């Protein structure tokens, strides 16, 4: 089984390292200088410093070469996925394409699986998501993820192909639930970072995580996803990880916002665009998403932390 990973960011590189433990893997990067640097140093210095790339990991800048594979992992940031597919994947492709990104596209409201289906309708579209920091995977630490594919037969094949010594994959056919969990938890993580950064305390964070989970489940059910998927690794599991660890870039953005500090906006923070996408998506449906709306307002500068907290706390009292 030949596996290719397209996109040599932190996550793509970490997955490629883990998968190389059991067979042939190719890692494609768009920048030829980056490929040359990784070949010369045996490391991905900018994304995973201190982690040695395995010798059987093939590094390339040649997309045609990388596309000759049984399974192709797409590890580019969410807002670039559609453009990436349009540039590199033929419309008639029958490849097994697995999205490894989290979020919703701001311009269309589509998630990664829908974007793959629209770009290559004959391909098998899947998503790999769940609680996993790239640095943990790359260091060989144990991780459990969700592999979602609408076809259970294809899902079983992908589950076998992508499970490694340190990556344990669970399977579902609910692609919509899996992509919603991975996208929405990032928005809640920003909110939790704001609470801690602003000194509002651990109790406030627990409240945001719990009510955020309720909000995630409400939207998922409204859209026809299975609430059980949200309670799994791709939803609840990733929510817990991302809302409680400073390894998370979404959480760190929130910390900076809450504390009034600056943040490096070249960092990949998927929850920022996703908050905007979800606010647009839910405007017409009327699904109640107070935490997501608050995060979107904080990010676009139309609200500050004290006003936002006051607004959340003064909402009408209701049953849990
Ligand atoms: N870093 C992590 O711990 C985890 C990340 N993810 C997800 O993985 C996705 C990627 O994140 P990271 O790898 O962490 O980001 P990153 O910032 O480390 O890397 C992004 C990579 O995508 C490349 N890229 C950007 N636009 C591109 C384009 N148009 N064509 C080709 N390549 C392009 C960049 O050159 C860079 O190598 C995100 O959706 C993130 O939520 C998921 C789980 C864990
Ligand atoms: O998705 C992740 C962990 O599962 C990574 O989180 P960040 O993108 O916030 O760093």
């Amino acid at each position: 089984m030949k596996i290719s990973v397209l996109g040599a960011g932190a996550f793509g590189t970490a997955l490629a390292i883990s998968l190389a433990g059991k067979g042939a893997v190719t890692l494609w990067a768009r920048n030829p200088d980056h490929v040359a640097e990784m070949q010369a140093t045996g490391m991905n210095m900018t994304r995973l410093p201190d982690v040695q790339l395995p010798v059987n990991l093939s590094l390339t800048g040649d997309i045609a070469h990388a596309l000759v594979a049984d399974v192709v992992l797409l590890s580019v940031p969410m807002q670039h996925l559609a453009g990436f597919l349009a540039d590199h994947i033929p419309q008639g492709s029958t490849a097994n394409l697995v999205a490894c990104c989290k979020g919703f596209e701001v311009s269309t409201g589509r998630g990664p699986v829908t974007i793959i289906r629209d770009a290559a309708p004959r391909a098998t579209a899947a998503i790999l998501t769940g609680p996993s920091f790239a640095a943990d995977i790359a260091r060989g630490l144990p991780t459990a993820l969700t592999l979602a594919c609408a076809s259970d037969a294809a899902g079983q094949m992908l589950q076998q192909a992508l499970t490694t010594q340190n990556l344990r994959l669970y399977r579902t056919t609910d692609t919509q639930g899996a992509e919603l969990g991975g996208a929405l938890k990032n928005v809640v993580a920003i909110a939790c970072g704001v609470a801690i950064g602003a000194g509002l305390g651990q109790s406030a964070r627990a409240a945001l995580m719990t009510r955020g989970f309720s909000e995630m489940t409400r939207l998922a059910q409204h859209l026809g996803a299975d609430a059980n998927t949200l309670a799994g690794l791709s939803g609840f599991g990733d929510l817990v990880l991302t809302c409680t660890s400073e390894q998370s870039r979404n959480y760190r953005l929130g910390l900076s916002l809450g504390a009034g500090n600056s943040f490096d906006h070249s960092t990949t923070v998927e929850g920022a665009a996703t908050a905007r996408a979800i606010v647009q998506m839910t405007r017409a449906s009327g699904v109640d998403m107070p935490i997501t709306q608050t995060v979107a307002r904080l990010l676009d500068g139309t609200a500050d932390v004290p006003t936002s907290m006051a607004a959340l706390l003064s909402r009408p009292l209701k049953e849990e």
Side-chain angles (χ1 to χ4, degrees):
M1 173 85 49
K2 190 162 181 286
I3 298 173
S4 283
V5 181
L6 308 185
F11 196 42
T13 307
L15 291 172
I17 291 170
S18 182
L19 288 161
K22 67 172 200 178
V25 178
T26 299
L27 176 62
W28 172 88
R30 64 173 163 171
N31 181 344
D33 292 341
H34 189 202
V35 176
E37 185 199 273
M38 288 192 287
Q39 282 166 339
T41 61
M43 287 189 220
N44 186 346
M45 310 282 265
T46 47
R47 301 301 185 188
L48 286 174
D50 307 328
V51 179
Q52 201 68 42
L53 301 174
V55 283
N56 67 329
L57 177 59
S58 161
L59 300 160
T60 185
D62 178 351
I63 191 86
H65 169 71
L67 285 174
V68 183
D70 301 298
V71 179
V72 176
L73 305 191
L74 306 165
S75 192
V76 297
M78 183 63 214
Q79 304 306 317
H80 296 286
L81 181 62
F84 177 82
L85 291 169
D87 288 348
H88 299 299
I89 306 291
Q91 258 221 319
S93 169
T94 55
N96 294 304
L97 302 175
V98 183
C100 302
C101 49
K102 299 176 181 177
F104 282 86
E105 193 175 54
V106 177
S107 54
T108 64
R110 295 178 301 168
V113 176
T114 307
I115 289 177
I116 295 175
R117 286 194 191 124
D118 288 349
R122 295 175 60 213
T124 295
I127 181 166
L128 182 62
T129 182
S132 54
F133 287 126
D136 292 348
I137 295 175
R139 287 167 56 215
L141 301 179
T143 310
L145 296 169
T146 300
L147 184 283
C149 182
S151 153
D152 194 44
Q156 286 187 35
M157 181 279 287
L158 291 168
Q159 181 182 31
Q160 291 292 336
L162 301 176
T163 290
T164 70
Q165 273 196 336
N166 68 315
L167 288 184
R168 177 174 168 78
L169 267 55
Y170 288 79
R171 191 177 78 245
T172 178
T173 54
D174 181 15
T175 54
Q176 191 180 30
E179 58 183 18
L180 277 161
L184 293 168
K185 65 86 189 177
N186 279 334
V187 180
V188 182
I190 296 174
C192 288
V194 171
I196 297 297
L200 302 180
Q202 310 274 351
S203 304
R205 171 169 51 190
L208 283 166
M209 286 174 69
T210 312
R211 295 313 303 165
F213 182 63
S214 165
E215 189 169 308
M216 289 164 63
T217 309
R218 185 159 58 239
L219 178 60
Q221 285 182 309
H222 173 82
L223 294 172
D226 185 346
N228 288 323
T229 312
L230 274 288
L233 291 161
S234 56
F236 180 73
D238 215 352
L239 180 77
V240 171
L241 180 73
T242 317
C243 293
T244 58
S245 170
E246 288 192 28
Q247 276 194 74
S248 160
R249 296 160 296 189
N250 285 280
Y251 181 69
R252 287 205 305 272
L253 169 63
L255 285 177
S256 302
L257 267 175
N261 295 334
S262 61
F263 189 80
D264 174 3
H265 288 285
S266 67
T267 310
T268 302
V269 181
E270 298 286 28
T274 294
R276 289 207 300 280
I278 299 291
V279 167
Q280 284 169 25
M281 271 168 68
T282 52
R283 195 164 281 144
S285 67
V287 180
D288 194 20
M289 303 289 289
I291 296 171
T292 303
Q293 282 160 357
T294 301
V295 169
R297 281 195 289 266
L298 284 168
L299 289 168
D300 71 20
T302 54
D304 60 17
V305 176
T307 325
S308 300
M309 267 326 289
L312 283 175
L313 289 171
S314 64
R315 283 165 49 80
L317 298 176
K318 58 178 194 172
E319 281 188 351
E320 190 169 21

